[in-house]
Amino acid sequence: MSAYIESPSPTHNHDACRTKAIQIADRICAERGVQLTTIRRQVLELIWNSHKATKAYDLLDQMKLVQHSAKPATVYRALDFLLDQGLIHRVESLNAFIGCTCSEQKHEQLLLICLQCHEVEERPGKRVMQAVSKELSQAEFTPHHKAIEIQGICKYCTQSEPNAM
Amino acid sequence: MSAYIESPSPTHNHDACRTKAIQIADRICAERGVQLTTIRRQVLELIWNSHKATKAYDLLDQMKLVQHSAKPATVYRALDFLLDQGLIHRVESLNAFIGCTCSEQKHEQLLLICLQCHEVEERPGKRVMQAVSKELSQAEFTPHHKAIEIQGICKYCTQSEPNAM
DNA sequence: AACTGATATGTTATATTATAACAAATTAGT
DNA sequence: ACTAATTTGTTATAATATAACATATCAGTT
Ligand SMILES: [Zn+2]
Ligand SMILES: [Zn+2]
Ligand SMILES: [Zn+2]
Ligand SMILES: [Zn+2]
């Protein structure tokens, strides 16, 4: 376990990554006495197919393949559940969703969104959050929810890009 | 001129506020040799009717009152122009738009969005931005665009709320 | 096992947000 | 006046999201 979360490298073992995420979700839901139903689980698995943010209607298209009756509400209700349980995050600037690895505790995060490979890295960004808290108390503002999203080019794309284009 | 931007108080002279914003926009566009056409100006004025974030289709409804031919594209094109010129900001978490007072220079900002009165305060948040920059260089991430949006309760609503609800 | 209330899903319809594509009009510079 | 570039008009449609109500399933109790 490193000091801070690594961005998912292009060569990491993502099968293990996804499997672990689902296992954690199973455990969390059991502990909380909430139901990770088949539909909710399927949506979570689809989201975890990559570290790219997934759009609701892309999820719907994929759901339809295994669940002919799937409708927008099917997906959006599953997403609401997963959001409530902190198992996924909504990427506001993309209208899309990513899986969360640190669902155990309530937390805040920075999202680094790569414009090249479209992967999204979630980072706790403790220092940033401290600075935000300071700013908010100066402003006498009581926070309920924070969305901190940075779009740009990730380290792997920076390394491999010079020749591209 | 205070050290940091004041959140727009419920009692501030907003007519002056809006007038000044439009004047600045006029000047900026003139300097840059871009056209603040009637439509674009109208959209900007409508956005500046308050410090609440305004939705594109609310703008459209209002535009239709004075410009019968207004269509979605009418509004979205004006919004694109105003965004390009930095005269407005998009609030990602609301799919809505607010006027910007510091359009002269390219800048980054925190948006404090009040869930009670729906006003949006823009703050430079220098310390926050410094912390973000540090975090990004740690992550070896090259930023192109930053969206930092905090939803919560503003100071005026905190003061007046205790009796409400 | 049947009953019951709560939770989850099915289904239809519609609301909201945003863009594409092409034609016509206007503007700025010559 | 001519021309190229920019802006606007117009139609159509794509993409994102929610409302409302019926039905089904689940968990706990009798
Ligand atoms: Zn992975
Ligand atoms: Zn997370
Ligand atoms: Zn004002
Ligand atoms: Zn601004």
Side-chain angles (χ1 to χ4, degrees):
Chain A
M1 295 289 150
S2 66
Y4 66 89
I5 294 169
E6 280 292 333
S7 75
S9 89
T11 57
H12 83 291
N13 179 353
H14 185 62
D15 282 346
C17 199
R18 177 182 44 218
T19 303
K20 188 181 164 194
I22 306 297
Q23 280 172 358
I24 292 175
D26 274 328
R27 185 170 48 67
I28 287 177
C29 289
E31 282 170 10
R32 295 182 187 164
V34 295
Q35 307 174 48
L36 189 60
T37 60
T38 307
I39 289 177
R40 291 166 176 175
R41 186 179 233 278
Q42 282 169 343
V43 169
L44 184 61
E45 282 170 351
L46 289 172
I47 287 173
W48 269 106
N49 272 345
S50 82
H51 292 274
K52 295 177 176 56
T54 312
K55 302 242 158 198
Y57 275 75
D58 289 345
L59 290 170
L60 178 54
D61 290 343
Q62 295 179 265
M63 283 296 283
K64 276 177 177 163
L65 300 177
V66 295
Q67 184 97 194
H68 187 269
S69 70
K71 299 270 165 9
T74 314
V75 167
Y76 279 103
R77 285 195 286 226
L79 289 171
D80 284 344
F81 171 85
L82 297 169
L83 286 168
D84 282 348
Q85 296 304 320
L87 297 170
I88 61 173
H89 296 296
R90 182 180 162 81
V91 186
E92 299 290 354
S93 57
L94 298 178
N95 294 335
F97 305 85
I98 56 161
C100 168
T101 22
C102 40
S103 335
E104 273 101 343
Q105 59 278 337
K106 225 186 157 224
H107 63 281
E108 300 168 332
Q109 71 285 334
L110 263 76
L111 300 182
L112 309 191
I113 304 157
C114 183
L115 296 163
Q116 178 82 13
C117 69
H118 304 293
E119 302 234 328
V120 178
E121 180 188 356
E122 175 180 352
R123 296 174 70 97
K126 278 217 133 194
R127 295 305 172 98
V128 172
M129 296 308 170
Q130 280 168 10
V132 169
S133 295
K134 222 168 181 176
E135 182 77 17
L136 295 179
S137 50
Q138 258 183 36
E140 298 174 62
F141 190 93
T142 310
H144 287 205
H145 179 73
K146 298 173 184 152
I148 305 185
E149 303 181 1
I150 318 292
Q151 308 225 6
I153 303 295
C154 79
K155 66 173 167 184
Y156 301 108
C157 288
T158 301
Q159 284 159 12
S160 53
E161 218 185 356
N163 24 335
M165 248 213 81
Chain B
M1 295 288 153
S2 66
Y4 65 89
I5 293 169
E6 282 290 331
S7 76
S9 88
T11 59
H12 84 291
N13 180 353
H14 185 62
D15 282 346
C17 199
R18 175 183 45 217
T19 303
K20 188 181 164 195
I22 306 298
Q23 279 173 359
I24 292 175
D26 274 328
R27 183 170 49 67
I28 287 178
C29 290
E31 283 170 11
R32 294 181 189 164
V34 296
Q35 308 175 48
L36 188 60
T37 60
T38 307
I39 288 177
R40 291 166 176 176
R41 185 180 234 276
Q42 283 170 344
V43 168
L44 185 60
E45 283 171 350
L46 289 173
I47 287 173
W48 269 106
N49 272 344
S50 81
H51 292 275
K52 295 175 176 56
T54 313
K55 301 243 156 196
Y57 275 76
D58 289 344
L59 290 170
L60 177 54
D61 290 342
Q62 296 178 263
M63 283 296 282
K64 276 178 179 164
L65 299 178
V66 294
Q67 183 98 196
H68 188 269
S69 70
K71 300 270 166 10
T74 315
V75 166
Y76 278 102
R77 286 194 285 224
L79 290 171
D80 283 345
F81 171 86
L82 297 170
L83 286 168
D84 281 349
Q85 296 303 322
L87 297 170
I88 62 173
H89 295 298
R90 180 180 163 82
V91 186
E92 299 290 354
S93 58
L94 299 178
N95 295 335
F97 305 86
I98 57 162
C100 169
T101 22
C102 40
S103 334
E104 272 101 343
Q105 60 276 339
K106 225 186 156 224
H107 63 280
E108 300 168 333
Q109 70 285 335
L110 263 77
L111 299 183
L112 310 191
I113 303 157
C114 182
L115 296 164
Q116 177 82 13
C117 68
H118 304 293
E119 301 234 329
V120 179
E121 180 188 355
E122 176 181 352
R123 297 174 69 97
K126 277 217 134 191
R127 296 305 172 99
V128 172
M129 296 308 171
Q130 281 169 11
V132 168
S133 295
K134 219 168 182 176
E135 181 77 18
L136 294 179
S137 52
Q138 260 184 35
E140 298 174 62
F141 190 92
T142 310
H144 286 204
H145 179 73
K146 298 173 185 156
I148 305 186
E149 303 181 3
I150 318 291
Q151 309 226 3
I153 304 294
C154 79
K155 65 173 165 183
Y156 302 109
C157 288
T158 302
Q159 283 159 14
S160 54
E161 220 187 355
N163 24 335
M165 249 213 83

